[in-house]
């Protein structure tokens, strides 16, 4: 299977999940708007989600996958299976202890970490604590799911891991539809969502375990032991947890600050959901596919193949995210109005969310580049360097967020996160180049410059066209008319961007064909 085909497989499954995520957020906006129950749910859900990104996705994709790939190269599937069982025993035990400790300390955690601004509102604070207690075990489910995903990705089975998040959206959509159909109160709806999160976590874990069995690997439970492999995993995972969760760390900092302003947390969440579509489809696809591919190329001594993988991945993410960033900047108002403005979601809220989304759009290429650059370190079992860079960018985010929020509110937090993301991407890239781990290509630099030109031409055209279609995109127009007009704008922008990009040499059909034809090396057979 080619590199582009793998990106498309993961990206396609992620696209389906993100589209369902839009449907979920649209229902959420109609049911809860930016009211206190929306703030409470999003604040409570952010905490297990943060830990999931830090200790599950971030740590395991960075530490587990290279070691698992090494075991496959050295001992075949049998050695990888033994290593997985060793890790599973330790991971399950540690997660159980963390979950118990966090559940007992949840009131303190909400007061000091999740939402300090809620302390002055006893009812909102109490609801947030109780919702967080229900949802925190989601971390345990998703951490085990992340391990199973890492195994599947290393075995070149990408689809099952990519499609699993769809179940979370399906369950939460069902909870929201039920709440709207029965006329449930905002508090009851928040409870339906909380229990839905926990149920979805269990469902995803079951689906991924079935995928591992289908891939021909059965995992048994071993008594927790600190074997050399497990110690190496933990040594790599701790800094990787910080690095892999930079976006979530910055978001939790933003949430802490935003909790002092009514509706700010949910406004940030609605904007986050929109830019997460291109970030997920492109960034997650590249990060998921590139790490195991790069790790196995390096373990096999194929340096030229590794360099080609890195350059083609960066080219791929910029080819798709530069136009997305330009579109989010130019038509953020129209996007938010069509997606959210109904029910409890007012035109004033649209203005706030759209302004925040436009700034997130400017940071989008930086956020996605991080996904493509981190594997260059992780595949070489270096998790400390990106951790140091991440910690610096977190400090920058904190300083900017605290400084800008009193003046620009949600837009200030978005500006801080976007700036932090770009700084991280730049420092990661420069470090890889200086170490000789990322051979620069002059052709790549020229193509990127031309892609920027194509994105600017598209943005100017989109701005002009949106003005001509203003009446059809106004809140007074019917939803069908708004959707049709927005779809026409998006279609026009794609035609212009891709047309200009291919015309001036930013993209090349020959290069795309070569990547589509490129085959990956098969995994070693089991020793059985």
């Amino acid at each position: 299977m080619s590199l582009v085909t793998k990106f498309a497989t993961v990206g396609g499954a992620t696209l389906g999940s993100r589209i369902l995520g839009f449907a979920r957020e649209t229902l959420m906006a109609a049911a809860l708007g930016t009211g206190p129950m929306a703030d409470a749910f999003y604040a409570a859900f952010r905490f297990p989600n943060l830990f999931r990104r830090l200790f599950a996705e971030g740590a395991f994709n960075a530490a587990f996958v290279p070691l698992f790939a090494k075991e496959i190269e050295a001992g075949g599937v049998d050695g990888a299976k033994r290593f997985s069982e060793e890790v599973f025993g330790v991971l399950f035990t540690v997660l159980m202890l963390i979950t118990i400790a966090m559940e007992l300390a949840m009131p303190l955690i909400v007061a000091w970490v999740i939402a300090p601004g809620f302390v002055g509102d006893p009812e909102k604070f109490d609801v947030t604590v109780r919702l967080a207690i229900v949802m925190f075990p989601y971390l345990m489910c998703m951490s085990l799911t992340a391990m199973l995903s890492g195994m599947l990705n290393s075995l070149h089975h990408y689809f099952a891991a990519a499609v699993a998040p769809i179940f979370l959206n399906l369950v939460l959509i069902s909870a929201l539809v039920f709440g709207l159909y029965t006329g449930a109160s905002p508090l009851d709806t928040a409870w339906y969502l909380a229990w839905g999160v926990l149920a979805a976590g269990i469902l995803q874990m079951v689906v991924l375990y079935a995928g591992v069995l289908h891939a021909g690997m059965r995992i048994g439970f071993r008594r927790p032991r600190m074997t050399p492999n497990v110690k190496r995993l933990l040594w790599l995972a701790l800094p990787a947890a910080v690095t892999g969760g930079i976006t979530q760390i910055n978001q939790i900092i933003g949430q802490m600050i935003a909790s002092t302003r009514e509706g700010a947390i949910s406004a940030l969440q609605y904007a986050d959901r929109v830019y997460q579509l291109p970030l997920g489809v492109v960034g997650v696809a590249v990060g998921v596919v590139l790490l195991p591919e790069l790790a196995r190329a390096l373990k096999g001594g194929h340096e030229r193949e590794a360099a080609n993988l890195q350059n083609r991945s960066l080219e791929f993410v910029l080819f798709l995210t530069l136009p997305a960033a330009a579109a989010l900047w130019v038509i953020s108002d129209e996007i938010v109005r069509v997606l959210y403005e109904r029910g409890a979601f007012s035109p004033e809220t649209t203005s706030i969310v759209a302004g925040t989304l436009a700034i997130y759009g400017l940071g989008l290429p930086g956020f996605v580049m991080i996904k493509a650059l981190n594997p260059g370190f992780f595949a070489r079992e270096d998790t400390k360097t990106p951790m140091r860079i991440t910690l610096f960018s977190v400090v920058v985010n904190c300083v900017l967020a605290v400084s800008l929020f009193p003046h620009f509110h949600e837009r200030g937090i978005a500006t801080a996160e976007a700036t932090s993301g770009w700084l991280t991407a730049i420092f990661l890239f420069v470090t890889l180049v200086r170490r000789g781990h990322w051979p620069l290509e002059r052709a790549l630099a020229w193509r990127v410059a031309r892609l920027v030109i194509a994105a600017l031409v598209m943005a100017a055209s989109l701005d002009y066209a949106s003005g001509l279609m203003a009446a059809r995109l106004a809140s007074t127009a019917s939803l069908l008319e708004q959707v049709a007009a927005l779809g026409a704008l998006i279609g026009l922008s794609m035609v212009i961007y891709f047309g200009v990009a291919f015309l001036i040499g930013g993209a090349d059909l020959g290069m795309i064909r070569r990547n589509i034809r490129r085959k990956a090396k098969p995994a070693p057979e089991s020793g059985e």
Side-chain angles (χ1 to χ4, degrees):
M1 186 184 291
S2 72
L3 187 64
V4 170
T5 305
K6 291 170 184 173
F7 287 161
T9 299
V10 178
T14 306
L15 176 61
S17 175
R18 296 307 162 100
I19 290 173
L20 288 173
F22 274 131
R24 182 189 88 195
E25 294 301 317
T26 300
L27 292 170
M28 182 81 79
L32 302 178
T34 55
M37 288 304 102
D39 277 354
F41 171 77
Y42 282 128
F45 185 44
R46 177 80 74 187
F47 193 58
N49 223 24
L50 168 70
F51 273 77
R52 174 175 67 88
R53 296 291 177 89
L54 290 179
F55 299 115
E57 292 181 359
F60 267 89
N61 277 320
F64 178 80
V65 170
L67 294 179
F68 188 84
K70 182 189 291 184
E71 290 297 327
I72 290 179
E73 292 289 338
V77 175
D78 289 339
K81 177 179 180 295
R82 183 174 57 254
F83 171 62
S84 300
E85 290 179 340
E86 292 173 356
V87 173
F88 183 82
V90 173
L91 179 64
F92 182 87
T93 305
V94 170
L95 288 171
M96 181 66 73
L97 294 175
I98 289 175
T99 300
I100 294 171
M102 290 295 180
E103 297 279 31
L104 294 174
M106 197 59 71
L108 290 175
I109 293 170
V110 172
W112 290 95
V113 179
I114 296 179
F118 290 2
V119 175
D121 186 338
E123 181 182 359
K124 192 174 182 180
F125 176 82
D126 182 60
V127 170
T128 304
V129 170
R130 289 187 288 141
L131 292 176
I133 288 173
V134 170
M135 288 189 282
F136 194 81
Y138 174 76
L139 162 68
M140 185 167 186
C141 297
M142 294 310 298
S143 297
L144 297 173
T145 298
M147 174 182 167
L148 297 171
S149 298
M151 294 172 62
L152 285 171
N153 292 336
S154 297
L155 294 168
H156 303 298
H157 291 262
Y158 295 103
F159 184 75
V163 81
I166 288 177
F167 293 101
L168 172 66
N169 289 321
L170 288 174
V171 171
L172 295 188
I173 286 172
S174 300
L176 285 164
V177 169
F178 179 76
L180 289 168
Y181 179 76
T182 59
S185 68
L187 177 59
D188 288 339
T189 301
W191 276 112
Y192 298 156
L193 290 168
W195 285 108
V197 167
L198 181 58
I202 296 171
L203 181 59
Q204 287 174 265
M205 184 170 60
V206 171
V207 168
L208 264 293
Y209 185 70
V212 169
L213 291 178
H214 183 262
M217 186 173 290
R218 182 182 298 273
I219 306 174
F221 183 83
R222 293 194 179 202
R223 182 174 60 85
R225 292 175 55 246
M226 295 299 292
T227 64
N229 275 335
V230 172
K231 290 179 182 178
R232 179 63 178 162
L233 175 72
L234 294 177
W235 180 255
L236 293 172
L238 291 177
V242 177
T243 305
I246 176 176
T247 303
Q248 287 66 43
I249 294 171
N250 286 335
Q251 286 176 347
I252 201 74
I253 292 168
Q255 176 177 289
M256 291 170 64
I257 298 169
S259 66
T260 59
R261 177 180 168 87
E262 185 71 29
I265 290 178
S266 45
L268 288 168
Q269 172 63 27
Y270 291 129
D272 175 77
R273 170 54 57 183
V274 179
Y275 92 86
Q276 284 288 335
L277 176 63
L279 176 60
V281 172
V282 182
V284 172
V286 170
V288 165
V289 174
L290 181 58
L291 179 55
E293 293 292 320
L294 192 57
R296 296 187 71 170
L298 290 171
K299 300 305 178 189
H302 307 297
E303 293 289 341
R304 178 176 292 184
E305 181 187 3
N308 183 62
L309 281 168
Q310 292 177 119
N311 279 294
R312 297 293 72 76
S313 298
L314 186 60
E315 186 175 73
F316 177 79
V317 301
L318 292 176
F319 177 59
L320 295 181
T321 55
L322 286 173
L328 290 178
W329 175 258
V330 175
I331 57 170
S332 59
D333 282 274
E334 291 82 355
I335 292 172
V336 172
R337 186 178 303 116
V338 173
L339 289 176
Y340 297 135
E341 195 177 300
R342 59 192 59 86
F345 203 98
S346 67
E348 292 75 18
T349 308
T350 294
S351 177
I352 294 171
V353 175
T356 306
L357 174 61
I359 296 171
Y360 275 142
L362 293 181
L364 177 63
F367 297 141
V368 179
M369 284 174 65
I370 293 171
K371 301 285 187 181
L373 294 167
N374 272 333
F377 295 94
F378 296 158
R380 294 175 171 87
E381 299 184 20
D382 176 11
T383 56
K384 289 186 177 180
T385 300
M387 181 190 70
R388 296 187 188 103
I389 294 172
T390 297
L391 291 176
F392 170 75
S393 67
V394 167
V395 171
V396 172
N397 176 64
C398 288
V399 172
L400 288 176
V402 171
S403 303
L404 297 176
F405 184 73
H407 306 289
F408 303 105
H409 308 305
E410 296 87 352
R411 292 175 178 85
I413 290 177
T415 301
E417 291 182 17
T419 303
S420 173
W422 270 110
L423 283 175
T424 304
I426 291 169
F427 284 135
L428 289 173
F429 181 73
V430 170
T431 303
L432 284 170
V433 171
R434 283 183 173 177
R435 292 181 176 181
H437 293 161
W438 194 297
L440 290 176
E441 291 181 356
R442 180 175 297 180
L444 173 62
W446 277 109
R447 275 196 291 270
V448 171
R450 290 165 183 168
L451 290 176
V452 171
I453 293 172
L456 291 174
V457 172
M458 185 210 77
S461 304
L462 195 56
D463 184 56
Y464 178 75
S466 63
L468 294 178
M469 303 181 72
R472 296 178 182 273
L473 290 163
S475 54
T476 52
S478 67
L479 177 60
L480 183 60
E481 195 173 10
Q482 290 180 38
V483 170
L486 182 61
L489 283 179
I490 294 173
L492 175 65
S493 66
M494 291 174 64
V495 170
I496 292 173
Y497 173 75
F498 290 119
V500 174
F502 281 104
L503 183 65
I504 66 176
D508 176 70
L509 285 173
M511 175 271 294
I512 293 175
R513 281 195 297 267
R514 285 192 298 273
N515 277 295
I516 291 176
R517 290 170 183 164
R518 177 188 171 275
K519 303 294 181 181
K521 292 179 172 57
E525 297 294 329
S526 170
E528 294 180 355

